[in-house]
Amino acid sequence: MGGSDPGTLSPRAAATRQRILDAALAEFAEKGLAGSRVDEIAARAGANKRMLYAHFGSKEELWLTVLERAYAAKREEERGVEVDSLPPAQAMARLVAFNLRYTSRHPDFVALLNQENLHRAAYLRRSEQVPALYSPILEAIRSVLARGEATGAFRAGVDPMQLYISILALGHFYVANRHTLSTIFGTALDTEAAIAAREAHVAEVVLGYLRP
């Protein structure tokens, strides 16, 4: 990738780089890659275009950096989810809750993923960090499924990846479409009560599927 190496920056330059990344995240989440303008990102960051290009090389490289950082931030939080000490059903419910709550707290992450899928992951495929973006939650699900199967709490033969995708979908769709769904059903779906109800429902659906 082009641009400056974050590890060699002075504190002032590092602060500028961080402001640009924060501004770009907000701009990209709101307008997508095509609709965002370098001038607006720079102005939002209190920087100028020359500084932005010096740090990132191009708008496309900035997009990829923002996308990588969004994935890395989620993976970092995933590593902190402790389920090993919980019974299998409670552990799975906690993993369900984490994914839904993270998604609801980070609609910008949902927006970035939606945009990257419109580009058919063209930028993500260029990332040198893709192997590091592998989800710790998938391994946690694999472990919890094995424990549940061994104790008779879960049925056998569940594909961890398919279950993970289903858990993600049950949360991602809800958050990504919360505005249209709220309008259609005439009730606010982004309140704490609504999210708690969704969390309980998704956990019930997943645990019902896993029941022997």
Side-chain angles (χ1 to χ4, degrees):
M1 293 196 316
S4 58
D5 179 358
T8 64
L9 298 177
S10 69
R12 182 175 179 180
T16 298
R17 186 177 190 275
Q18 185 60 54
R19 289 201 312 274
I20 293 171
L21 286 168
D22 291 343
L25 172 59
E27 195 77 10
F28 286 145
E30 181 182 336
K31 301 175 184 175
L33 175 59
S36 296
R37 299 288 177 264
V38 169
D39 305 59
E40 295 174 7
I41 294 171
R44 199 166 190 161
N48 57 54
K49 286 198 298 183
R50 180 185 59 79
M51 295 170 69
L52 187 151
Y53 287 127
H55 281 288
F56 299 101
S58 68
K59 184 174 75 166
E60 289 72 22
E61 294 297 340
L62 177 57
W63 167 266
L64 178 55
T65 302
V66 169
L67 189 65
E68 289 172 338
R69 282 167 53 87
Y71 269 106
K74 185 170 189 287
R75 299 311 179 234
E76 185 62 29
E77 285 205 30
E78 287 178 350
R79 292 185 187 95
V81 181
E82 174 53 52
V83 294
D84 291 344
S85 62
L86 297 175
Q90 290 183 32
M92 191 62 70
R94 176 169 291 184
L95 294 173
V96 167
F98 169 81
N99 275 288
L100 177 61
R101 293 290 178 164
Y102 189 92
T103 306
S104 68
R105 292 198 315 270
H106 298 279
D108 49 356
F109 181 63
V110 174
L112 289 177
L113 264 59
N114 288 347
Q115 285 291 322
E116 183 64 9
N117 275 286
L118 289 176
H119 295 288
R120 299 180 181 271
Y123 298 97
L124 189 62
R125 279 199 299 270
R126 291 169 41 202
S127 173
E128 297 173 359
Q129 298 183 24
V130 165
L133 300 179
Y134 189 78
S135 174
I137 289 289
L138 179 57
E139 291 309 311
I141 288 174
R142 194 186 310 276
S143 175
V144 172
L145 284 174
R147 288 199 289 122
E149 183 178 340
T151 61
F154 297 157
R155 66 187 183 87
V158 176
D159 184 325
M161 187 188 74
Q162 292 294 342
L163 180 60
Y164 181 40
I165 292 172
S166 294
I167 290 171
L168 289 175
L170 290 167
H172 183 101
F173 181 89
Y174 182 89
V175 175
N177 297 278
R178 65 197 183 283
H179 301 300
T180 51
L181 291 172
S182 295
T183 301
I184 290 169
F185 294 119
T187 185
L189 295 178
D190 56 356
T191 64
E192 171 56 31
I195 293 169
R198 181 63 183 172
E199 178 185 319
H201 174 78
V202 174
E204 186 176 357
V205 167
V206 170
L207 292 175
Y209 164 72
L210 293 175
R211 197 169 294 128

